[in-house]
Amino acid sequence: MARVDAPALYELRRRVLRGNDPAKSVADPRDAAPTTLHFGGYLDGVLVVSATFLLAPSPTHEGPAYQLRYMATDVAVQGRGYASAVMATAIAALRERGAHQLWANARDSALGFYVKTGWRVLEGSEHLSPETQLPHTVIVMDLAPTP
Ligand SMILES: CC(C)(COP(=O)(O)OP(=O)(O)OC[C@H]1O[C@@H](n2cnc3c(N)ncnc32)[C@H](O)[C@@H]1OP(=O)(O)O)[C@@H](O)C(=O)NCCC(=O)NCCS
């Protein structure tokens, strides 16, 4: 798992998260911000997993926090631990940067994955994503401050 630049992620984001629709947006205006971290994992030289973390205030915590967006594993390799691996790499890097909390608007269909990887659901935060109209719920992960 490695740090990557945003443009390398757009094709995977579109395919996995936007039904491969060329008309849909797959970029966040903060993608190129110096505080944004993108992570990717490769199989035989092809990007198969990606996750983006944006420095953004948490809905529940006042300390430094990062928002996870565009978590995606290529359909052909889902269930093989790629997302868990990229998450572990990202968490280690974000802890090092002093993050106190991670948060995300998670697709309800992926909540099982997030709970298994240490996130908790914010009760009462269920909503429809304005971008996709899919059911989402806010999830958070508290990170111990670096000593
Ligand atoms: C959700 C997603 C990123 C998980 O990626 P993945 O590489 O398949 O995940 P992993 O293989 O690391 O799975 C880790 C664990 O979570 C479980 N898991 C994965 N996806 C799950 C899901 N949708 N629901 C419940 N459990 C899930 C796995 O079974 C595995 O459990 P185990 O440790 O007991 O074997 C992937 O399924 C995906 O891209 N889905 C479509 C896009 C999406 O919904 N992204 C999230 C947007 S918020």
Side-chain angles (χ1 to χ4, degrees), residues 16-17 71-73 78-81 83-84 107 109 112-114 116:
V16 179
L17 293 162
M71 174 82 250
T73 302
Q78 285 178 7
R80 295 196 205 166
S84 310
R107 285 188 185 188
S109 55
F113 161 73
Y114 289 113
K116 278 196 170 168

Side-chain angles (χ1 to χ4, degrees), residues 104-146:
N105 291 304
R107 285 188 185 188
D108 286 2
S109 55
L111 282 177
F113 161 73
Y114 289 113
V115 169
K116 278 196 170 168
T117 51
W119 297 71
R120 71 184 158 84
V121 166
L122 199 61
E123 297 302 331
S125 66
E126 300 80 6
H127 61 282
L128 285 185
S129 158
E131 257 177 277
T132 61
Q133 295 303 314
L134 295 172
H136 279 64
T137 299
V138 178
I139 55 169
V140 297
M141 183 190 288
D142 297 310
L143 303 179
T146 40

